[in-house]
Amino acid sequence: MTFDPAWISGIFLWALALYLMFSPVALRLVEALERQATGWLKAFNRKNIAGPAELYGSVVSIVPFILAGGLCNYLLDMGLGHSWTLSFGIIACMGSGVYELGRRDGQANQD
């Protein structure tokens, strides 16, 4: 089994695009995972639990977006062909980045 670098790049481009598109969901997921990790670490009577809980929450929250990015990449590969996966991944990242900047600017103007 060989790994195609273009296919792996497409997965992570789509994961980034989805993470930016659904950033409020991602932030809630990180907070929920941090609370869960804090509870686990308190059960083991650890004194400094803030750092490992934040690390756990951040790292594990990326996994659903990587899986969804893999699904988007696979469906696009099956539908349009291998050459389109990276192109649409880049376009999706740019579009979701612009959306995220506009969303944050809109929130700043409301406050």
Side-chain angles (χ1 to χ4, degrees):
M1 182 174 152
T2 60
F3 293 104
D4 184 15
W7 204 73
I8 294 171
S9 299
I11 289 172
F12 284 102
L13 279 171
W14 277 103
L16 175 64
L18 293 170
Y19 191 84
L20 289 173
M21 279 186 230
F22 300 108
S23 63
V25 174
L27 291 175
R28 281 184 276 172
L29 182 62
V30 168
E31 291 171 359
L33 289 169
E34 282 179 12
R35 283 193 306 270
Q36 185 179 21
T38 302
W40 288 345
L41 292 174
K42 281 183 183 179
F44 292 116
N45 294 326
R46 298 226 9 209
K47 295 186 192 245
N48 186 10
I49 60 175
E54 289 176 1
L55 178 66
Y56 171 79
S58 296
V59 171
V60 175
S61 69
I62 297 170
V63 173
F65 293 100
I66 292 174
L67 294 175
L71 180 65
C72 289
N73 194 45
Y74 175 75
L75 292 175
L76 197 62
D77 191 15
M78 290 295 115
L80 295 176
H82 187 66
S83 63
W84 287 97
T85 57
L86 284 177
S87 300
F88 274 112
I90 292 170
I91 292 169
C93 281
M94 291 179 359
S96 61
V98 169
Y99 168 75
E100 178 64 16
L101 288 173
R103 189 188 66 77
R104 288 186 183 188
D105 187 46
Q107 277 185 342
N109 288 336
Q110 285 180 349
D111 296 338

